[in-house]
Amino acid sequence: MRVYPIFLASIVFLSNIGLGEDRPVRGAQDRPNIVYIMTDDHASQMMSAYDDSRASTPNLDRIGEEGMLFRNSFCSNSLCAPSRATLLTGKYSHKNGQLGNRDVFDGGQQTFPKLLQAAGYQTAMIGKWHLKSDPTGFDYWNVLPGQGVYVNPVLIEMGERKTHEGYVTDIITDKAIDWVRARDKSKPFMLCYHHKAPHAQWVPDEKYDRLFEDEDVPYPENYNDDESGRVSPVQGATNQLTPDMLKRWKAFGAKMNKEDPGELEGQALKDWMYQQYVKDYKRVMVSVDENVGRFMEFLKTEGLGENTIVIYTADNGMFIGDHGRFDKRLMDEESLRIPLVVRYPNGIKAGSVTDAYSLNVDYAPTILDYAGVSIPGDMQGHSLRPILEGKRPKGWRKLIYYHYYEHPDFQFQDVPPHYGVRDDRYKLIHYYKTRGIDDDAWELLDMKKDPQELTNVYDNPEYKGVIKRLKKELVRLRSELDVE
Ligand SMILES: [Ca+2]
């Protein structure tokens, strides 16, 4: 089931080459360059290619317009560090060991950059890393320490800390451009170009500090969901605009928007908090969009526009006032979905759109596939290459497995661990091991009847058959993925 014909052909071809053996190195012109662009916490509902009601991201959208847009792209654990570990390894959290943000990534394990290096690619990692251990598998790395900061950031360049004057999104882009410009032109390259934005605490570039000031950003449809239809672990998750974000805003006030809510309370206070949040989020995204546009222009002027695969995605989704929340972690659509667009004029038809389910475990195998490197059998994702080439492999996944682990004692966003499956209509979720035995709960969401995910129907007898089927799928997936 894991091996597709196109895939098999490349494996047979590559087995004749053999990793690590002496072999003629093909020229840079034969193999594509790869640029993997990732933002942090960029919700797909805040990318205008997916939803233009609140966001305008023309440069990000253009990557998809000139290539392929994935309508159903998901993360497997909606959190920063785990998502990055999954990108590198092509494995779910339980296999790469990065369950939460506090784990230290085991950089000794197999990663796709190491495999590319061994196959003659030059590799670089620039921007947000967030994995605690030093990057491995990169010829060059220059990364933010931890979350990094927006203004005058420190970057760690190959182990050396240096402070840079300016705005982080501009600086990361400058560094990415500098590296590509100075590359060894006899070899193909792979660059991870990772923005800090739009992660908290949102500090816009000074020139955009007042952008959107005189407008009210529209509210999402489920903004005033009181969550009475959901189970207690969801109701208890502390990622509500009020009071949770307000507390955070007070704690980090100096770094966030400087306005004061004064005497506002109730709905007015919540609306105020939402406007503060969404405007700062939009402001930092304007800088991302412009800088990605600048980088894409650079690729063209450098003659790299045609033979470079450019992937744009985010590490996880995000609540932008959806369900009255901020942050991510939950398996709700806003947190689970991530943007994914891929441009490669030499291999992807412009204007392509797919509904095929993609997951962040797929990125490593996809990149290896395009680079002509055989995909290790222990990678759990599947190459998206056939889909990008307009083919849907037989047996392509129709449901996804999700698992969020982080222990719920974090100061601001206390969300219980849970796992579940999602198909094209239903989502079955099990919340477990939380604040007490009362918090162990199952949820079934019927996204066709309830697209805003307001009501748990797990106890509705009409869904008995659906629950039975999905529980079976859950057992099958957990066994296939070797979860326990
Ligand atoms: Ca993130």
Side-chain angles (χ1 to χ4, degrees), residues 224-480:
N224 279 323
D225 174 21
D226 66 1
E227 297 193 310
S228 54
R230 300 289 297 271
V231 294
S232 63
V234 177
Q235 292 164 352
T238 56
N239 57 6
Q240 296 286 347
L241 292 173
T242 50
D244 307 306
M245 190 179 212
L246 188 68
K247 272 190 230 161
R248 184 184 179 130
W249 182 86
K250 284 179 175 165
F252 294 104
K255 293 182 193 167
M256 297 171 76
N257 199 302
K258 296 156 199 73
E259 286 175 43
D260 195 287
E263 300 300 309
L264 295 176
E265 3 180 292
Q267 186 73 38
L269 181 60
K270 179 180 170 183
D271 295 351
W272 176 87
M273 191 70 262
Y274 169 77
Q275 294 294 339
Q276 297 293 313
Y277 168 35
V278 71
K279 285 180 190 179
D280 271 346
Y281 188 95
K282 280 164 60 78
R283 288 167 184 142
V284 300
M285 276 310 300
V286 168
S287 293
V288 168
D289 189 67
E290 284 182 356
N291 272 283
V292 170
R294 179 162 72 92
F295 183 85
M296 296 303 288
E297 273 307 304
F298 160 74
L299 283 186
K300 276 184 206 163
T301 56
E302 193 74 5
L304 296 168
E306 302 299 304
N307 198 33
T308 300
I309 298 167
V310 176
I311 300 166
Y312 173 75
T313 185
D315 59 346
N316 48 257
M318 189 79 175
F319 293 102
I320 312 291
D322 312 276
H323 296 275
R325 298 184 184 281
F326 70 105
D327 203 57
K328 54 267 183 178
R329 301 164 200 266
L330 287 164
M331 207 181 152
D332 290 47
E333 287 294 275
E334 295 88 349
S335 162
L336 180 66
R337 284 182 172 276
I338 47 178
L340 176 63
V341 286
V342 186
R343 180 188 189 275
Y344 179 35
N346 282 358
I348 302 171
K349 207 174 144 209
S352 307
V353 175
T354 182
D355 289 327
Y357 283 11
S358 65
L359 270 169
N360 54 358
V361 284
D362 299 330
Y363 302 157
T366 303
I367 290 168
L368 292 175
D369 193 359
Y370 273 111
V373 177
S374 71
I375 300 163
D378 62 349
M379 281 196 176
Q380 295 178 299
H382 306 291
S383 171
L384 298 170
R385 183 171 177 173
I387 288 164
L388 288 159
E389 291 173 348
K391 297 164 237 158
R392 179 84 64 103
K394 221 176 159 191
W396 189 256
R397 70 168 74 85
K398 291 198 166 82
L399 37 73
I400 58 161
Y401 177 72
Y402 178 84
H403 200 151
Y404 170 76
Y405 295 85
E406 194 157 277
H407 191 266
D409 59 1
F410 190 60
Q411 189 183 2
F412 294 104
Q413 294 95 245
D414 183 352
V415 171
H418 53 286
Y419 60 84
V421 286
R422 180 204 189 280
D423 68 10
D424 60 357
R425 176 164 179 181
Y426 300 105
K427 207 179 270 179
L428 179 73
I429 313 168
H430 182 209
Y431 304 87
Y432 66 97
K433 197 181 70 176
T434 59
R435 298 173 193 82
I437 54 166
D438 288 347
D439 272 352
D440 190 275
W442 285 87
E443 266 192 334
L444 180 75
L445 300 169
D446 180 347
M447 294 177 287
K448 189 176 173 194
K449 284 193 179 163
D450 175 25
Q452 297 300 324
E453 301 184 308
L454 305 177
T455 310
N456 169 30
V457 291
Y458 186 81
D459 294 323
N460 181 336
E462 279 175 34
Y463 290 96
K464 220 172 145 187
V466 173
I467 291 167
K468 198 175 164 195
R469 175 175 65 79
L470 288 176
K471 280 199 171 168
K472 220 166 135 186
E473 293 285 14
L474 194 54
V475 169
R476 178 184 65 79
L477 274 171
R478 282 169 67 90
S479 159
E480 266 180 31

Side-chain angles (χ1 to χ4, degrees), residues 39-42 78-81 83-84 101 128 130 147 196 199 314-318 328:
T39 41
D40 195 331
D41 292 358
H42 185 206
S78 186
L79 194 61
C80 304
S83 183
R84 284 151 211 278
N101 278 342
K128 175 138 179 211
H130 199 217
Q147 298 283 7
K196 168 187 171 56
H199 193 279
D315 59 346
N316 48 257
M318 189 79 175
K328 54 267 183 178

